[in-house]
Amino acid sequence: MPSGTGDPEASTPSDEEPLNNVREIHQKALDDLVNVNSLFTLAVFVGLSMARQGERSLENRTECDADVGNARRLVVNEVVSFACFLLSSLVAKALKIHVTICQEEDFKDTRNQIVRFSMLMLSVWASVFGCIFLTVSMVDVIQIKVGKLSCRSVHAWRAAGALIAIVLLALSIYVPFMMTAIFTSVKKVQRKVGKQ
């Protein structure tokens, strides 16, 4: 009858489970980042289509019509937002490939852990800054279509206020959860390395 004792150096399912969980966390987080960035990129092109000079606002008052500065600022913020989302998506895609093909020993290497952590942080924060620039550009879209905030358009203020409040709420949920996922994955790898 087998004694139940085995080679202490042999890898067991319980030893491999934390590392597999880390890979899954990384891959799910990266997939979510790319999906979110894709949705926001569509909003960027919608915003760019609104940057037309001489368009009358819905307030139907001359002083509420947006000027060239609003359209110029809209284009600049949309382009910066698109660049942030593109950076975030490309880094996330590259990191997902790395996580998928990386061998166990390379995955646990300290230098690779630092690189992965840095790339994850870069991807997340590039997406966050993309959201911020996109929100600012959407405020300009509101001013172009509804009316300038400076002319005290009630509808423009309501739309801008709701937009900013909802985006801030979304980021206050998104950022802590993403940071928790990243730090949890790093700690699991460190615990795995410390046991060996």
Side-chain angles (χ1 to χ4, degrees), residues 2 27 64 90 111 115 121 124 135 143 153 160 163:
Q27 290 171 346
C64 290
L90 291 177
R111 187 180 59 127
V115 170
M121 294 293 286
V124 170
T135 302
Q143 293 192 89
S153 168
L163 172 68

Side-chain angles (χ1 to χ4, degrees), residues 3-22:
S3 60
T5 60
D7 184 0
E9 298 295 327
S11 176
T12 63
S14 60
D15 291 332
E16 295 177 357
E17 184 178 356
L19 195 59
N20 291 333
N21 289 342
V22 170

Side-chain angles (χ1 to χ4, degrees), residues 6 10 22 52 88 92 94-95 100 107 116 132 158 160 170 172 186-187 190 192:
V22 170
R52 291 190 293 269
S88 177
L95 188 53
T100 303
F107 193 84
R116 275 197 312 275
I132 293 172
R158 285 178 180 174
S172 68
V186 171
K187 287 180 180 178
Q190 289 175 345
K192 174 70 174 176

Side-chain angles (χ1 to χ4, degrees), residues 67-79 133 136-137 139-140 143 148:
D67 53 26
V68 179
N70 292 106
R72 186 184 298 117
R73 189 169 56 243
L74 168 61
V75 172
V76 171
N77 287 326
E78 291 282 345
V79 170
F133 282 107
V136 174
S137 69
V139 172
D140 280 317
Q143 293 192 89
K148 293 177 69 174

Side-chain angles (χ1 to χ4, degrees), residues 3-111:
S3 60
T5 60
D7 184 0
E9 298 295 327
S11 176
T12 63
S14 60
D15 291 332
E16 295 177 357
E17 184 178 356
L19 195 59
N20 291 333
N21 289 342
V22 170
R23 289 180 186 269
E24 290 179 5
I25 291 173
H26 276 77
Q27 290 171 346
K28 288 178 181 178
L30 294 170
D31 284 336
D32 289 342
L33 272 173
V34 173
N35 292 336
V36 168
N37 291 340
S38 298
L39 292 175
F40 287 149
T41 302
L42 293 177
V44 168
F45 288 105
V46 171
L48 285 174
S49 67
M50 302 293 181
R52 291 190 293 269
Q53 186 177 354
E55 185 171 347
R56 295 296 305 274
S57 69
L58 297 177
E59 280 291 321
N60 203 23
R61 288 186 288 162
T62 305
E63 65 271 19
C64 290
D65 293 342
D67 53 26
V68 179
N70 292 106
R72 186 184 298 117
R73 189 169 56 243
L74 168 61
V75 172
V76 171
N77 287 326
E78 291 282 345
V79 170
V80 175
S81 175
F82 175 75
C84 289
F85 292 135
L86 183 61
L87 171 64
S88 177
S89 295
L90 291 177
V91 171
K93 282 291 187 181
L95 188 53
K96 184 178 179 181
I97 293 172
H98 167 78
V99 170
T100 303
I101 68 175
C102 190
Q103 299 297 321
E104 182 175 349
E105 291 303 318
D106 293 330
F107 193 84
K108 294 183 294 186
D109 181 70
T110 303
R111 187 180 59 127

